[in-house]
Amino acid sequence: MFDKKELARITREKERWQQTTLPKWLSEHPERQKEFHNTSGARINRLYTPEDIQNMNYTRDIGFPGEYPFTRGIHATMHRGRLWTMRQFSGFGTAEQTNKRFKYLLSEGETGLSIAFDYPTITGYDSDHPKAQGEVGRCGVAISSLKDFEILFDGIPVDKVTTSMTINGPAAVLLAMYIAIGDKQGVPRTMLGGTTQNDMLKEFFAQKLCIFPPKPSVKLVTDIIEYCAKNLPRWNPISISGYHIREAGASAVQELAFTLYDGIAYVESALERGMNVDEFAPRLSFFFASHNDLFEEIAKFRAARRLWARIMRERFKAKKPRSMWMRMHVQTSGCTLTAQQPLNNIIRVTIQSLAAVLGGTQSLHTNSFDEALCLPSEEAVRVALRTQQIIAHESGVANTVDAIGGSYYVEALTNEMEEKATKYIEKIDNMGGVYTAIEKGFFQKEIADSAFKYQQEIDTHKRKIVGVNDYKIANECITIPLLRVDPKVEEDQIKRLQKTRKERDNKKVKQTLDKLHDDAEKNQNLMPTIIDAVKAYATLGEICDVLRGVYGEYKELIII
Amino acid sequence: MNQERKIRVLIAKPGLDSHDRGAKIVARALRDAGMEVIYTGLRQTPEQIVETALQEDVDVIGLSILSGAHTTLFPRIMELIKEKGLNDVLVFAGGIIPEEDVPEMKKIGIKEIFGPGTPTETLVKYVKENVKKKI
């Protein structure tokens, strides 16, 4: 990237600096620490110069936005053309309450919906299941049948918004409900836009909300990929997620490597199904966390895009540029938020959002400052959304493409991220792939070790967390208002569910569930039958129970 | 040689939430401090937790929950603990438990609640100082 003669001159000048200016300064002003590290444990140099990126080739490694390898962004004009989608993950209580929150967010300028489901929904239980006790509507909205979903989308035209659903094990059921709503609203299926998270692999080692064992889980994931490629061209059937991997404790490098490896496994699964790579790859989407170390995160996003493009072209021989695009959603990192001095979290979220925007994200969720204490209150959500709007309209960072590109530091970090992630990918390949790595507890152990190390760094004050292990307020009394979910939500939800079960055509329900059982045994794509079952008001729990009967249930591999 | 019995701890995850980062860190920290630690894994019912505590003859139970279901599940767990006569077992809890719920949780017999940001050494010290060890 640099002229050889010029580079030699820079090297000479750097040596001179190292022997004159630097020691002179250091002798009177020692550095704060002996060494500096980022969260992945990489040592950060004092200074980065052209020497650190001398082996780079501009067109090969950095290139132009909208062109391979997409380091600078997947679109030619990035945020100068269209800002990222501001998509706040929300959901609590009943469908009525969440419908109200959705309308509030849309009226405040949000541009896409993102549904948080409660634990019973996520784990495939109806609201009246014994295991659901105390959990209904607590951490998300309770959805047991299409009845609930109809209320959730009351007055929200699904051809006017795109909707992201954080749902994995029962993803096919919730997607079927969305399709049913679209049908009811008279919206052609080709117009339905949104995302199902539908990334089961990370569940086995990160988020750990599993229903079925790994192989049938990936079969269901692939059913959705295949169904969407044929019927819902604007739907992202999967959001391959590093977020939960990071939140479970992984470093930035591990998040990058494990997420891309999951991506590789899904591509392989769809290829085994007989699909052509360019038929489904353009709709694969990704989801990452944005943590506190600004430049490490920016480098991670840039490396992720470049590495995925290379994997798709070299490993999977994709031809369409769109198949090589890594489109990403980013969420600021929940685990960095502190219960102490909660308003400080607004600043953390701002830094993390900057990383996401400078890293070239397509969509962003900003966490609310009260999230270490409770579900976000309306005020906290508004501040979170405003943070994005201020970055978009006031900070100026969205006015040029890849503003940080060309920084010696960030380019060197981007290279390092890619190299380290590539090593992990080779390691997992050699281990025999993703299933073996899960069975051996490889990911689980790597993540648990990183989580423990991070906590130790905090406990030993090697890592300062403002308000937690330093700059504390003595006898702090937290006075922000907390959102509480009324326990009556559970009662009301159960009443509605039982009424639905009574009033529906139970013969039809049984027929569709029997057909689902047969299709599952015959290894058919289950999407069409699940849509029929949902439309007959079969419940999420009933549908998942049929599949539990065929596939069995996953038993957690416990690794401390 | 008569070896002193190690403190036996059960770290349990009641409810459906799967946030186990904290529970695992606590389990590891207590183990590194010389205790015998059993971790239940996710999604345990109150019955399963108390049964494990009984089977494993533990001195301490640490409950971790982040979903908000503690108001339903903790009272049930404490009821079962009393029913089974595990009155000497030290029970503490952690996770996202709002300040205003703490008095109620203490009333039902949970001795201490540790919120986010608690250093692991605080937990180790707390367990060592408060456990009623069996001989």
Side-chain angles (χ1 to χ4, degrees):
Chain A
M1 216 156 81
F2 301 95
D3 174 65
K4 275 217 171 97
K5 253 163 85 186
E6 175 65 7
L7 200 62
R9 203 173 66 85
I10 292 168
T11 305
R12 278 198 309 276
E13 281 295 297
K14 189 178 164 197
E15 275 163 15
R16 182 197 52 71
W17 174 80
Q18 276 173 331
Q19 284 155 14
T20 55
T21 312
L22 177 66
K24 202 172 137 206
W25 182 261
L26 278 178
S27 68
E28 284 175 32
H29 311 88
E31 290 183 334
R32 287 180 289 116
Q33 288 166 217
K34 227 172 127 196
E35 285 188 346
F36 293 80
H37 295 93
N38 62 20
T39 64
S40 297
R43 211 173 70 201
I44 305 302
N45 298 344
R46 175 177 297 119
L47 184 75
Y48 290 81
T49 68
E51 277 186 307
D52 296 285
I53 54 170
Q54 57 181 298
N55 295 324
M56 285 188 96
N57 175 319
Y58 184 86
T59 48
R60 182 193 64 198
D61 301 323
I62 302 176
F64 291 91
E67 289 181 6
Y68 187 85
F70 305 102
T71 313
R72 310 204 70 174
I74 57 167
H75 302 304
T77 60
M78 288 304 291
H79 301 135
R80 277 170 69 97
R82 187 167 169 266
L83 288 168
W84 59 94
T85 306
M86 299 179 191
R87 198 186 285 285
Q88 297 295 94
F89 182 49
S90 64
F92 62 96
T94 58
E96 285 90 349
Q97 284 173 302
T98 301
N99 173 268
K100 212 173 125 211
R101 177 64 71 88
F102 282 173
K103 287 177 176 164
Y104 170 76
L105 285 168
L106 291 170
S107 73
E108 290 293 322
E110 187 183 66
T111 50
L113 297 175
S114 174
I115 313 176
F117 298 101
D118 70 357
Y119 278 108
T121 308
I122 292 173
T123 41
Y125 296 116
D126 285 339
S127 297
D128 60 351
H129 191 282
K131 283 195 177 172
Q133 232 185 13
E135 307 273 8
V136 176
R138 289 270 187 192
C139 291
V141 58
I143 301 291
S144 298
S145 80
L146 181 58
K147 208 43 124 205
D148 302 323
F149 220 72
E150 286 163 1
I151 296 165
L152 188 64
F153 277 90
D154 182 51
I156 301 173
V158 294
D159 54 346
K160 298 283 186 299
V161 290
T162 58
T163 304
S164 170
M165 295 194 273
T166 298
I167 194 75
N168 295 281
V173 183
L174 276 304
L175 176 58
M177 288 187 192
Y178 201 78
I179 292 170
I181 292 293
D183 288 356
K184 271 181 197 263
Q185 291 186 1
V187 177
R189 291 187 184 178
T190 50
M191 292 280 292
L192 293 179
T195 307
T196 29
Q197 191 166 86
N198 190 31
D199 167 9
M200 276 312 298
L201 287 169
K202 59 100 171 55
E203 295 296 330
F204 296 99
F205 57 85
Q207 184 162 245
K208 303 179 189 109
L209 292 163
C210 314
I211 307 178
F212 319 112
K215 290 214 167 134
S217 293
V218 172
K219 180 251 186 271
L220 286 169
V221 169
T222 315
D223 279 2
I224 296 178
I225 295 176
E226 189 185 24
Y227 182 85
C228 290
K230 291 182 177 136
N231 302 282
L232 305 184
R234 291 183 59 212
W235 195 267
N236 302 309
I238 187 167
S239 172
I240 305 159
S241 306
Y243 187 82
H244 318 81
I245 298 173
R246 189 66 176 283
E247 286 287 291
S251 69
V253 168
Q254 289 167 329
E255 177 195 4
L256 172 60
F258 300 169
T259 308
L260 266 58
Y261 206 91
D262 287 346
I264 290 172
Y266 294 123
V267 173
E268 284 172 350
S269 173
L271 293 174
E272 277 165 28
R273 185 72 68 102
M275 298 176 77
N276 177 301
V277 67
D278 288 311
E279 185 188 344
F280 65 86
R283 293 312 307 186
L284 301 177
S285 66
F286 287 81
F287 172 27
F288 292 103
S290 193
H291 212 272
N292 285 332
D293 190 317
L294 183 76
F295 296 112
E296 182 182 32
E297 294 306 309
I298 296 172
K300 179 187 76 185
F301 299 127
R302 298 174 85 247
R305 261 195 309 273
R306 183 162 76 203
L307 186 51
W308 185 247
R310 287 178 169 160
I311 288 169
M312 290 311 289
R313 189 155 95 170
E314 288 158 23
R315 184 167 177 149
F316 293 115
K317 313 290 176 222
K319 299 267 182 315
K320 281 191 199 165
R322 266 179 175 264
S323 301
M324 303 166 205
W325 283 9
M326 170 180 270
R327 291 172 305 127
M328 61 171 86
H329 171 68
V330 174
Q331 179 171 342
T332 60
S333 171
C335 70
T336 64
L337 301 185
T338 65
Q340 297 75 11
Q341 304 175 40
L343 292 177
N344 294 347
N345 291 327
I346 298 173
I347 317 303
R348 294 190 177 97
V349 168
T350 307
I351 295 168
Q352 297 163 7
S353 307
L354 273 173
V357 171
L358 290 167
T361 193
Q362 277 61 58
S363 166
L364 178 63
H365 165 103
T366 33
N367 287 332
S368 299
F369 63 80
D370 54 0
E371 284 187 60
L373 300 160
C374 62
L375 289 192
S377 68
E378 204 162 275
E379 186 193 22
V381 174
R382 187 174 54 238
V383 172
L385 181 58
R386 294 291 181 257
T387 305
Q388 296 198 39
Q389 291 160 340
I390 291 168
I391 290 173
H393 304 294
E394 298 184 27
S395 77
V397 299
N399 296 350
T400 188
V401 177
D402 187 31
I404 302 282
S407 147
Y408 307 122
Y409 176 33
V410 171
E411 294 296 355
L413 262 185
T414 306
N415 294 343
E416 194 180 315
M417 281 272 169
E418 187 181 357
E419 277 159 31
K420 286 185 175 167
T422 306
K423 283 210 180 99
Y424 263 121
I425 289 173
E426 283 165 8
K427 193 169 177 181
I428 303 163
D429 271 341
N430 291 335
M431 215 179 276
V434 78
Y435 299 106
T436 319
I438 290 172
E439 277 162 27
K440 283 190 175 163
F442 170 73
F443 300 115
Q444 296 92 315
K445 183 88 176 67
E446 287 269 328
I447 295 169
D449 286 349
S450 290
F452 193 67
K453 184 171 155 264
Y454 189 82
Q455 184 61 38
Q456 273 184 321
E457 286 170 4
I458 296 170
D459 287 355
T460 56
H461 296 256
K462 241 174 99 185
R463 183 180 290 282
K464 267 189 200 177
I465 307 289
V466 174
V468 174
N469 64 2
D470 210 342
Y471 310 106
K472 290 190 269 192
I473 297 177
N475 303 318
E476 185 186 2
C477 182
I478 293 161
T479 51
I480 59 168
L482 303 185
L483 182 137
R484 301 296 303 248
V485 175
D486 188 344
K488 211 177 152 287
V489 161
E490 192 158 317
E491 266 173 57
D492 292 348
Q493 172 64 14
I494 291 174
K495 265 190 216 147
R496 176 155 70 222
L497 171 62
Q498 290 173 346
K499 189 163 170 267
T500 306
R501 283 212 200 96
K502 225 198 236 147
E503 287 172 358
R504 66 188 182 181
D505 179 350
N506 276 301
K507 222 175 104 192
K508 206 166 155 200
V509 170
K510 190 175 177 300
Q511 272 169 5
T512 55
L513 292 178
D514 286 348
K515 172 134 193 333
L516 180 64
H517 184 270
D518 290 351
D519 286 0
E521 296 233 301
K522 286 186 211 140
N523 210 18
Q524 306 269 354
N525 189 318
L526 301 183
M527 271 311 294
T529 313
I530 292 178
I531 295 172
D532 290 343
V534 158
K535 283 187 166 180
Y537 296 93
T539 66
L540 171 120
E542 290 164 345
I543 294 172
C544 290
D545 276 346
V546 168
L547 299 178
R548 283 186 183 100
V550 179
Y551 299 139
E553 281 185 79
Y554 178 70
K555 202 169 172 316
E556 183 192 355
L557 175 64
I558 293 171
I559 287 170
I560 296 173
Chain B
M1 225 168 83
N2 204 355
Q3 256 196 340
E4 206 194 344
R5 185 183 186 270
K6 284 183 174 179
I7 300 172
R8 292 178 67 79
V9 186
L10 178 71
I11 297 296
K13 282 285 301 167
L16 294 177
D17 98 80
S18 64
H19 297 98
D20 60 359
R21 179 173 178 165
K24 285 183 169 189
I25 285 173
V26 169
R28 202 191 273 206
L30 297 180
R31 194 179 65 191
D32 288 356
M35 302 177 204
E36 202 76 62
V37 181
I38 301 116
Y39 168 56
T40 60
L42 297 166
R43 285 191 277 285
Q44 300 291 303
T45 62
E47 289 75 13
Q48 286 170 320
I49 291 168
V50 177
E51 188 54 35
T52 311
L54 198 66
Q55 294 292 327
E56 296 284 352
D57 191 24
V58 298
D59 310 299
V60 182
I61 302 176
L63 301 168
S64 164
I65 193 161
L66 290 87
S67 72
H70 55 275
T71 48
T72 311
L73 298 171
F74 284 6
R76 178 75 189 134
I77 293 169
M78 295 315 292
E79 212 178 279
L80 288 167
I81 284 177
K82 288 197 184 93
E83 244 173 56
K84 302 277 179 191
L86 300 174
N87 301 315
D88 285 343
V89 174
L90 172 71
V91 184
F92 69 93
I96 307 283
I97 294 162
E99 202 58 45
E100 61 184 62
D101 293 351
V102 171
E104 182 56 32
M105 294 297 123
K106 289 202 169 165
K107 218 166 86 191
I108 61 171
I110 293 170
K111 287 285 186 295
E112 198 54 77
I113 309 270
F114 296 98
T118 307
T120 51
E121 70 220 64
T122 308
L123 284 169
V124 171
K125 193 162 166 271
Y126 173 80
V127 171
K128 283 186 175 164
E129 284 174 1
N130 291 279
V131 65
K132 285 187 195 159
K133 274 180 72 176
K134 294 167 193 162
I135 304 146

